[in-house]
Amino acid sequence: MKINTYWSLGGAPNNRGKEFIVGFMENQGTTIDVEIFVTTMRTVTVNVNVTAPLYSSSINNQFSVKAGEVKQLFFPPGIRPVGSQKVSNGIHILADDDVVIYAVNKEKFSNDAYLGVPVDVLGREYYAVTFYPPSQQCEMLIVGVEDSTSVTIKFPSIMQSPVTWNGQTYGAGSTLTGTVNRFDTWQLKTTGDLTGAYITSDKNIGVISGNKKTRIGVGGSSDHLCEMMIPVGRWGKNFISVPIPDRTVGDLFRFIASEGSTTVTISGGYSETFTIANAGDFVEKEISSGAYCSIKSDKAVMVVQFVLSQQSSAEPSDPAMMVLPPIEQFAADYTFTTPKYSSPPETYTSYFMFVIKDVDKAGLKVDGTPFSTTYTTVTHNGVDYAAGYIHVAEGTHTVRHDSPIKVFGGYLYGRANYETYAFTTGTRLAPINEVG
C-alpha cells in the first residue's frame, strides 16, 4: 500500500541539489541553442562546473553564483537526439553547494521549459505525459545516472501508434526493455499518446516527456512541450490550480493515477468528481479561464496543466505544459530568470503565478517589494488559500515570504506571439507516496 510521510520544511528534499544530469528532447528545428539557467538561494558563493562528458563537442563551464544571481548557459542544438535514438549527450551540473536549474528548449515559435530534478531525489518509477493528437510527435527521454541501468517501459493501452526501436515495433500495452549508462539520453517517439507509459528501472533515472510540437484545442498555433517528470513516490493528493493569466479560452488538465480506483474531486470555479480506474490511466478536463480550483484525491496523482493554442491575436500565446506541485510539496522561496523570446527585440510578457494560505498572503514579496495584485480565495480542506498572479519584468527575480517558514506554490508563465513557456519555479520533493 501507499503511505504519506510528511516532512518538516528543513528536513524535506527538494529541487535544490549539488548534482544534476539532464537532457533535451527533439524540437522543431536545429538553429537555436538550448539553455540551462543555474541559481542558488545560498548567501555564500557556490562554485559550479557544467560539462557534457560524452558529447562530441567539448563543453566545460566553470563559474560561481550566490543568492539572487542566475547564470545562463548555452548548448548547441545538436545535443538533442533525433527520432528514436540513444546518444550520450547528458549534461552534468556539479556544485559544491545547493543550486537550482531550469532548462529551456527553444526554437523559433517552438519553446518550453522545465525545472530540473536533482540526482539525489530521482527515482525508479515514473509515468510519462504527452499531448494527443500531436501536430508532429509525442516523445520521452530517459536520462542515465548510473552505468548498466536496466529500464523497462510498458506502453499505455491507449497508444494509437507504435514505437519503433532497433527495428522492432512496440504497440499499445507492449513492453520494451533496454539499458542506459551514465550520461545516456534515450529518446523514444511516436504519433500515439505516451501519457501513462510506465517507466521502471533498477537504478535511479531521469525522465523528460512532452511533444516535439503540437496544437492544443481549436487554435491553429503549435509549440514544443517538455517537463521533467516527478518520481511516483513524490506525488501528492492536494492541489490548487491557477488559470493561465490574461486568457479567456480556458486551460486543459490531465490527472494521472498512481493507483487504481483513484477518486478525484474538483471544487471551486469548476466542480466534478470522477474515478480513474487503473494506475497510469488519466482523465482529461477543460476548465474555464476564470476558475481557480481545489483538487483533492484519495490516492496520489500527478496533475498537469496545458496552455491552449492561440486562437486570436488579441490573446497571443501558444501551447505549454506544466506539472503542478501538490500543496504538500510547496517550498519557501524561489529565484528565477525569465527566458528570452527566440526573435529579439520582441520579448515575453511574463507572469509569476502563486498559491499561499490566505492568512500569509501579506508577507509575499518579489525582489523585496510586496505583491500588488488581486487575490482569489480558494477553500481547500477547510483552509482558505489566496491565489493569483503578478507581472514580472524580463530578468532575474526572487520571490519569498517575510517568514522563512511560510511555504507557497510558484509557477512561471510567459507568452508572446506564437511562443510560450511554463514551468514550476520550485518544489519540495519529499517521498510522501512511497510504498510501505
Side-chain angles (χ1 to χ4, degrees):
M1 69 176 191
K2 301 287 184 178
I3 58 172
N4 280 349
T5 304
Y6 291 91
W7 296 63
S8 67
L9 179 61
N14 53 46
N15 63 284
R16 302 170 189 170
K18 297 180 181 179
E19 183 181 22
F20 299 77
I21 300 176
V22 297
F24 291 90
M25 297 188 301
E26 187 175 4
N27 198 346
Q28 174 60 40
T30 56
T31 60
I32 298 179
D33 288 344
V34 297
E35 303 166 14
I36 288 178
F37 295 82
V38 182
T39 186
T40 185
M41 299 306 297
R42 300 299 195 193
T43 55
V44 298
T45 298
V46 180
N47 299 303
V48 186
N49 188 41
V50 180
T51 60
L54 303 181
Y55 182 54
S56 57
S57 299
S58 176
I59 294 173
N60 192 338
N61 295 278
Q62 297 178 329
F63 57 91
S64 60
V65 290
K66 59 184 178 181
E69 297 178 347
V70 179
K71 175 69 174 179
Q72 183 180 19
L73 304 170
F74 298 90
F75 302 88
I79 207 164
R80 297 178 288 215
V82 177
S84 290
Q85 184 184 29
K86 186 189 298 181
V87 289
S88 299
N89 290 355
I91 298 170
H92 189 214
I93 299 98
L94 190 63
D96 62 7
D97 208 330
D98 283 350
V99 294
V100 177
I101 74 157
Y102 310 97
V104 179
N105 194 349
K106 183 191 303 180
E107 287 290 339
K108 186 174 177 61
F109 301 145
S110 187
N111 182 36
D112 206 2
Y114 67 80
L115 175 70
V117 178
V119 165
D120 63 353
V121 289
L122 291 174
R124 304 182 184 186
E125 182 185 17
Y126 296 87
Y127 287 98
V129 179
T130 61
F131 180 77
Y132 180 86
S135 301
Q136 296 189 27
Q137 68 193 33
C138 298
E139 54 191 15
M140 65 181 185
L141 186 78
I142 295 163
V143 181
V145 173
E146 298 184 51
D147 287 341
S148 302
T149 299
S150 177
V151 180
T152 299
I153 304 158
K154 184 177 181 181
F155 294 107
S157 59
I158 62 163
M159 190 171 68
Q160 299 82 356
S161 302
V163 169
T164 299
W165 178 251
N166 279 346
Q168 296 190 31
T169 297
Y170 297 86
S174 63
T175 298
L176 167 60
T177 299
T179 301
V180 293
N181 293 316
R182 186 168 168 85
F183 306 124
D184 278 351
T185 56
W186 182 19
Q187 179 173 277
L188 296 169
K189 61 97 173 178
T190 174
T191 55
D193 196 348
L194 287 169
T195 301
Y198 183 48
I199 304 121
T200 56
S201 57
D202 64 347
K203 302 172 186 176
N204 287 354
I205 55 172
V207 175
I208 301 163
S209 65
N211 290 69
K212 181 178 178 180
K213 198 171 184 181
T214 194
R215 299 181 186 89
I216 302 179
V218 300
S221 66
S222 59
D223 210 338
H224 179 64
L225 304 182
C226 64
E227 275 283 56
M228 193 162 190
M229 297 291 100
I230 303 300
V232 173
R234 302 176 193 277
W235 292 10
K237 300 178 182 179
N238 300 278
F239 304 81
I240 291 175
S241 67
V242 179
I244 295 299
D246 290 348
R247 298 207 80 190
T248 61
V249 298
D251 303 314
L252 193 72
F253 291 82
R254 282 189 171 184
F255 306 85
I256 299 93
S258 64
E259 298 182 71
S261 300
T262 296
T263 299
V264 179
T265 300
I266 308 174
S267 60
Y270 175 95
S271 296
E272 187 174 355
T273 297
F274 53 86
T275 298
I276 308 174
N278 303 299
D281 286 357
F282 70 91
V283 170
E284 183 175 287
K285 299 293 178 183
E286 191 165 332
I287 298 177
S288 68
S289 289
Y292 290 74
C293 297
S294 161
I295 301 164
K296 57 185 178 181
S297 58
D298 64 345
K299 299 168 187 173
V301 296
M302 177 165 55
V303 180
V304 181
Q305 184 172 6
F306 293 89
V307 183
L308 298 182
S309 291
Q310 180 171 318
Q311 297 181 22
S312 74
S313 59
E315 293 185 8
S317 192
D318 229 1
M321 180 173 81
M322 179 169 60
V323 175
L324 301 188
I327 294 171
E328 302 96 308
Q329 303 283 29
F330 281 0
D333 47 50
Y334 309 100
T335 294
F336 55 86
T337 288
T338 59
K340 294 182 180 294
Y341 187 63
S342 66
S343 303
E346 186 173 350
T347 61
Y348 288 112
T349 301
S350 293
Y351 307 79
F352 180 79
M353 303 154 60
F354 64 88
V355 178
I356 190 169
K357 286 184 178 178
D358 189 74
V359 296
D360 298 330
K361 65 186 179 185
L364 270 182
K365 292 181 178 178
V366 54
D367 305 324
T369 301
F371 281 16
S372 177
T373 189
T374 299
Y375 299 92
T376 297
T377 301
V378 182
T379 301
H380 180 86
N381 286 343
V383 178
D384 286 342
Y385 288 82
Y389 62 88
I390 58 172
H391 290 270
V392 288
E394 186 175 273
T396 299
H397 303 280
T398 296
V399 180
R400 58 164 51 99
H401 196 277
D402 285 338
S403 170
I405 64 171
K406 302 297 184 181
V407 297
F408 57 98
Y411 328 94
L412 192 64
Y413 159 72
R415 62 171 174 83
N417 189 42
Y418 295 123
E419 200 169 295
T420 297
Y421 70 85
F423 60 91
T424 299
T425 51
T427 179
R428 295 161 67 197
L429 289 167
I432 59 176
N433 188 43
E434 296 286 357
V435 174

